Amino acid sequence: MCEKERETASVGQDAEKQAGDFSFPDIRSGYEVSYSFSPQRPIGMVKETTLGELLQRYADILWEEGSHKYNVKAFIGELDEILICARFTAFSQDMLDSLIGALRKRGNSNATINRKMAALSKLLRKAYKMGDIHSLPEFRRQKERAGRLRFLEAAEEEALFRQIGNRSELYLQLSIFLVDTGARLGESIALKWNDIYEGRVTFWVTKSGRSRTVPLTTRARDAMDTLADRSPGPFSSVDPQKYRAVWNAAKLDAGLGDEEDIVPHVLRHTCASRLVRGGIDLRRVQMWLGHQTLEMTMRYAHLASHDLDMCVPVLERHLK
């Protein structure tokens, strides 16, 4: 908590005690008091707050434990630091614009800014609904450039997995599972054995909050058989940081050390790319990956070049 926050909170608490059941604007209190009359929220006093205080109040309600919640806390903490722990009763458009400008000056891409703004928007909407603030800014998604989508070719996968296997059998089986199911690392670590049944796996702990079930390939089934003695799930003992450390060392020895995009998440991209290039329609790929919208899956649409093969005979007719 900033020093300014501690001083203001202390003075504000004393003022509340003196006021009893009634609260009035008091410049000595350190609070700017206004009133909410929205029919969608309880009528009451709106007191100054900070992003840090709102996060502490609602983080456990809005986000489940895991890497995403950890990232959200880091995002909101950074935004609060940019605002110098400013206290507010309404989050103005100027405040939002200043945050976006500051993030851009720090070198954040539009995609990164969008992720941070999504976390901020969710927190502020909850605060507004609960009557903690009395107005919200308009959030507009920043235009993202479609960058090159990296995935592994068969030879790259073989070289990388060989080096991972030299270091850890568990991490090799995890890598095989990730590339053949398209699962996220956190989804796989959260698996329990009763989530795997009759050649299918159900992911309950997902980024979208929606479960999904996908069939297992032969080698993914073999990986599960290899790990059958582990409890309570095949990958429950995996430490994400240790896995990434092994991954990075293996990547270097596989001759892929200069590729910044080759991180464990590339296995999810590789799964998706193989499905699309193999002729699977984008709707099914969306269901397989658990994307909330088809727009997210459209990143792989350019790989479906076979869909355009029928265009060639049409263009060649004039040559006959």
Side-chain angles (χ1 to χ4, degrees):
M1 180 184 293
C2 298
E3 186 66 29
K4 180 181 177 183
E5 288 184 59
R6 286 194 290 268
E7 293 176 357
T8 306
S10 176
V11 174
Q13 290 168 359
D14 291 339
E16 285 185 316
K17 291 179 181 178
Q18 295 172 6
D21 294 334
F22 300 92
S23 296
F24 299 94
D26 186 344
I27 59 174
R28 296 171 300 170
S29 69
Y31 288 129
E32 177 184 341
V33 182
S34 57
Y35 289 85
S36 166
F37 297 97
S38 170
Q40 298 179 347
R41 297 177 292 125
I43 297 176
M45 185 173 63
V46 178
K47 300 179 181 179
E48 285 185 334
T49 188
T50 68
L51 289 181
E53 290 174 356
L54 292 177
L55 181 66
Q56 185 175 16
R57 194 174 304 159
Y58 298 120
D60 292 336
I61 298 174
L62 295 175
W63 294 282
E64 295 182 358
E65 293 298 330
S67 59
H68 181 58
K69 183 177 180 180
Y70 176 85
N71 291 335
V72 164
K73 286 186 173 182
F75 293 161
I76 300 300
E78 180 185 9
L79 299 179
D80 198 26
E81 176 260 321
I82 291 174
L83 293 174
I84 321 177
C85 300
R87 306 188 69 82
F88 53 86
T89 56
F91 203 92
S92 69
Q93 196 69 43
D94 285 343
M95 292 172 68
L96 180 63
D97 292 343
S98 68
L99 284 178
I100 294 174
L103 291 174
R104 191 162 283 129
K105 285 182 179 179
R106 292 187 176 193
N108 286 218
S109 66
N110 281 357
T112 300
I113 291 174
N114 282 336
R115 287 196 294 272
K116 294 178 180 180
M117 290 302 104
L120 176 62
S121 175
K122 188 171 184 177
L123 180 63
L124 292 180
R125 281 187 282 111
K126 178 63 175 179
Y128 178 77
K129 183 177 180 180
M130 299 304 294
D132 294 320
I133 56 177
H134 59 67
S135 68
L136 294 173
E138 180 183 0
F139 285 84
R140 292 184 178 179
R141 185 174 179 82
Q142 305 297 306
K143 186 175 181 179
E144 299 181 17
R145 290 186 301 174
R148 178 172 179 259
L149 192 64
R150 187 64 165 93
F151 52 86
L152 298 177
E153 298 292 354
E156 292 175 325
E157 178 192 302
E158 181 181 358
L160 179 60
F161 283 12
R162 185 188 309 114
Q163 294 299 330
I164 292 175
N166 289 341
R167 291 166 169 80
S168 169
E169 179 65 23
L170 171 61
Y171 291 168
L172 171 61
Q173 303 306 328
L174 171 59
S175 300
I176 290 172
F177 182 83
L178 291 174
V179 78
D180 277 10
T181 62
R184 300 178 180 89
L185 180 57
E187 294 173 342
S188 301
I189 293 175
L191 280 178
K192 301 295 185 292
W193 280 113
N194 60 5
D195 298 332
I196 304 168
Y197 182 70
E198 292 187 346
R200 297 176 182 273
V201 57
T202 298
F203 299 103
W204 297 98
V205 181
T206 66
K207 185 177 179 180
S208 66
R210 300 175 182 175
S211 64
R212 72 180 186 280
T213 300
V214 300
L216 295 173
T217 63
T218 300
R219 68 170 180 169
R221 292 188 190 188
D222 292 342
M224 297 296 94
D225 292 340
T226 302
L227 304 173
D229 60 338
R230 294 181 174 271
S231 182
F235 308 114
S236 301
S237 64
V238 170
D239 182 322
Q241 296 305 320
K242 291 181 180 179
Y243 175 63
R244 291 188 177 95
V246 168
W247 174 281
N248 290 332
K251 181 176 78 169
L252 189 63
D253 289 348
L256 300 169
D258 295 333
E259 299 255 16
E260 293 183 358
D261 292 338
I262 298 184
V263 296
H265 197 73
V266 79
L267 298 178
R268 181 169 165 85
H269 291 320
T270 301
C271 178
S273 70
R274 289 175 180 172
L275 290 173
V276 174
R277 290 197 293 179
I280 304 301
D281 66 86
L282 291 176
R283 280 291 182 186
R284 285 186 171 85
V285 176
Q286 177 189 2
M287 293 173 61
W288 186 285
L289 296 177
H291 286 158
Q292 288 184 286
T293 65
L294 186 59
E295 181 182 359
M296 299 175 69
T297 317
M298 288 299 293
R299 292 178 297 174
Y300 307 101
H302 67 283
L303 299 173
S305 58
H306 54 275
D307 287 347
L308 303 179
D309 290 348
M310 65 182 68
C311 301
V312 176
V314 173
L315 293 174
E316 291 181 339
R317 284 176 186 168
H318 75 283
L319 301 176
K320 296 179 180 180

